[in-house]
Amino acid sequence: QQQGGCQIERLNAREPQRRIEAEAGYTEFWDSDDDQFQCAGVAACRNVINPQGLLLPSYTSAPALLYVLQGKGFQGIMIPGCPETFQSSQQSKEGQSRRFHDQHQKIRNLREGDVIALPAGIAHWCYNNGEQDLVLLIIEDTSNDHNQLDNNPRKFFLAGNPQQQQQQQQQKKQQNQGNVLAGMDVDTLAEVFRVDMETASRLQGQDDRRGHIVRAESDLQVIRPQRTREEQEREERGYEGRDN
Amino acid sequence: GLEETICSARLRQNIDDPSRADFFNPRAGRLTILNSLTLPILSFLQLSAERGVLYRNAIMAPQYTLNAHSIIYATRGEAHMQIVDHRGQSVFNERIQEGQMVVVPQNFVVVKQAGRDGFEWVALKTNERAIFSTLAGHTSALRAIPVDVLANAYQISRDEAMKLKRRRDESIMFEASARPRRETRA
């Protein structure tokens, strides 16, 4: 905190100040320059993800807490060095045409009331597989010791072209912005991923106009354990319906 | 009890010895990490270090250090280094050579490719247990993402998304492909 940053004479309840639209949802930001947010050293935003909307993978320079205000979905959190423990079965793909044998890190279900801890620098993505909007409140602790940059909230996207969002956060500076791969040479990307130049160019997302929340072409297929009907019913009954 | 604790604390550790490498790829290079687990006094200083050696034209996977700044000093050879900020803007896209130093801020993505004579460096990191995350290779963040998510995020086919995940099986140091690469820029 800057010297005298908490000399507040009056506190006011605040609404979000800016809204950034995307193909399958929008994000609203509270003004992180507001005195009370400056004093607390936090930044806040609210993501509204439409059904079949995918919040593109990103990470922040400060730790954050995410609260699910509404809806349901699932989330992938990529923790460096952790194994890909969700694996499609080799057996199940035999005999089926064009099934991909995929494996990835754990997928976590999201539902109303959940709090998710997001450590600084850990990338994550979210998908809305429900029938109503998935609404996420995110509070980023920019003054946390884990953030060694300044107190400005920074989001590093791994995909897409979140140009508009970043421009508005940065007082509409006219700069070319995009995901972190956009700042590398295309031939470097082709070499690093051993893909052709066209795919490497796609990674940069410079022609992508969908924003930071995109609509999945079809319902997203990921490997994750499904609840049985009994489990779902038990969950709906809640704690009161449990036997001792 | 100071003489038994602080006064006798181990303050020295060699990180140039190849046999101490933590990552080694005979076709690409090696990396040795020194942190508070290997030299406990570093937890007091809240600093750590790494020593890297890249062989001719080898590539260090694009990566970011998620809890520290990195101060990189080139000790031998040269490399083409690219550093990208949160807006996807290149803030450094140049050749770094022996005797030069560059600061990579926390979470900025860096990729380096050694020149013809290889590249060696030492880096100081501003956290006792600096952690990096790679964006390509066997333990990368992209490999931890489902194929369908990658296909939708990058607007590519599932086939291409699978290639993106699987083509590079090395972890952090990549052998350069056989095809000639353009010279690093000055």
Side-chain angles (χ1 to χ4, degrees), chain A:
Chain A
Q1 289 163 14
Q2 292 176 345
Q3 192 72 21
C6 287
Q7 288 179 353
I8 295 170
E9 292 184 3
R10 185 175 171 77
L11 293 169
N12 294 297
R14 296 289 188 202
E15 297 284 335
Q17 291 278 302
R18 291 184 297 273
R19 175 196 275 223
I20 308 303
E21 298 285 346
E23 181 188 52
Y26 58 87
T27 299
E28 296 171 308
F29 296 90
W30 274 264
D31 181 9
S32 57
D33 292 333
D34 185 282
D35 285 349
Q36 53 193 332
F37 291 110
Q38 285 282 319
C39 171
V42 299
C45 70
R46 188 164 58 199
N47 284 303
V48 177
I49 305 170
N50 302 149
Q52 253 180 276
L54 170 68
L55 178 63
L56 293 175
S58 66
Y59 59 92
T60 54
S61 53
L65 284 182
L66 182 156
Y67 181 75
V68 183
L69 293 164
Q70 175 195 300
K72 65 169 193 167
F74 51 83
Q75 182 189 40
I77 297 177
M78 288 79 81
I79 303 173
C82 287
E84 294 131 28
T85 52
F86 279 34
Q87 302 170 333
S88 61
S89 162
Q90 290 276 12
Q91 278 184 332
S92 71
K93 83 173 184 149
E94 281 175 16
Q96 294 178 24
S97 61
R98 305 295 296 167
R99 270 292 295 271
F100 288 87
H101 172 59
D102 193 16
Q103 56 185 41
H104 49 75
Q105 283 192 19
K106 179 172 177 164
I107 303 284
R108 292 162 167 88
N109 288 320
L110 297 177
R111 66 182 172 117
E112 199 172 311
D114 286 348
V115 172
I116 292 105
L118 294 172
I122 302 289
H124 73 107
W125 54 267
C126 288
Y127 178 69
N128 180 356
N129 67 337
E131 288 167 4
Q132 61 173 332
D133 287 345
L134 173 63
V135 185
L136 310 172
L137 177 70
I138 300 177
I139 310 280
E140 197 181 328
D141 185 13
T142 53
S143 60
N144 194 292
D145 286 346
H146 291 196
N147 175 24
Q148 295 192 6
L149 298 173
D150 57 32
N151 276 10
N152 292 318
R154 285 182 174 80
K155 191 164 265 194
F156 296 74
F157 278 90
L158 300 184
N161 190 10
Q163 192 167 5
Q164 207 180 1
Q165 173 179 344
Q166 301 290 356
Q167 275 186 352
Q168 292 196 15
Q169 268 191 298
Q170 301 289 327
Q171 281 84 42
K172 295 182 180 171
K173 283 180 190 168
Q174 295 301 314
Q175 291 169 321
N176 292 325
Q177 291 152 352
N179 76 59
V180 293
L181 302 179
M184 294 177 203
D185 298 341
V186 178
D187 56 350
T188 299
L189 287 176
E191 171 85 56
V192 158
F193 289 101
R194 281 202 171 136
V195 293
D196 57 50
M197 299 292 268
E198 191 187 333
T199 304
S201 173
R202 290 252 177 189
L203 298 181
Q204 297 190 316
Q206 282 169 346
D207 299 325
D208 193 339
R209 296 285 172 265
R210 300 174 300 165
H212 60 297
I213 306 171
V214 304
R215 189 176 309 286
E217 278 188 358
S218 56
D219 202 22
L220 209 63
Q221 299 297 311
V222 301
I223 307 155
R224 66 194 183 108
Q226 300 289 338
R227 287 196 182 92
T228 63
R229 182 182 290 180
E230 285 160 15
E231 283 172 329
Q232 272 180 338
E233 283 172 3
R234 203 181 313 144
E235 193 173 279
E236 282 162 14
R237 281 205 305 272
Y239 288 95
E240 288 173 13
R242 280 189 184 176
D243 297 328
N244 68 39

Side-chain angles (χ1 to χ4, degrees), chain B residues 91-146:
Chain B
V91 291
F92 185 89
N93 188 357
E94 291 176 32
R95 192 175 58 186
I96 176 171
Q97 56 194 16
E98 187 175 327
Q100 293 183 324
M101 182 180 283
V102 66
V103 174
V104 184
Q106 178 188 16
N107 285 322
F108 281 40
V109 176
V110 58
V111 59
K112 36 187 177 284
Q113 178 163 24
R116 286 179 190 166
D117 300 325
F119 179 61
E120 296 181 11
W121 74 95
V122 62
L124 180 142
K125 300 203 171 197
T126 58
N127 191 302
E128 63 179 270
R129 291 188 198 175
I131 301 168
F132 61 75
S133 180
T134 52
L135 300 182
H138 190 71
T139 51
S140 69
L142 262 62
R143 196 145 166 157
I145 299 176

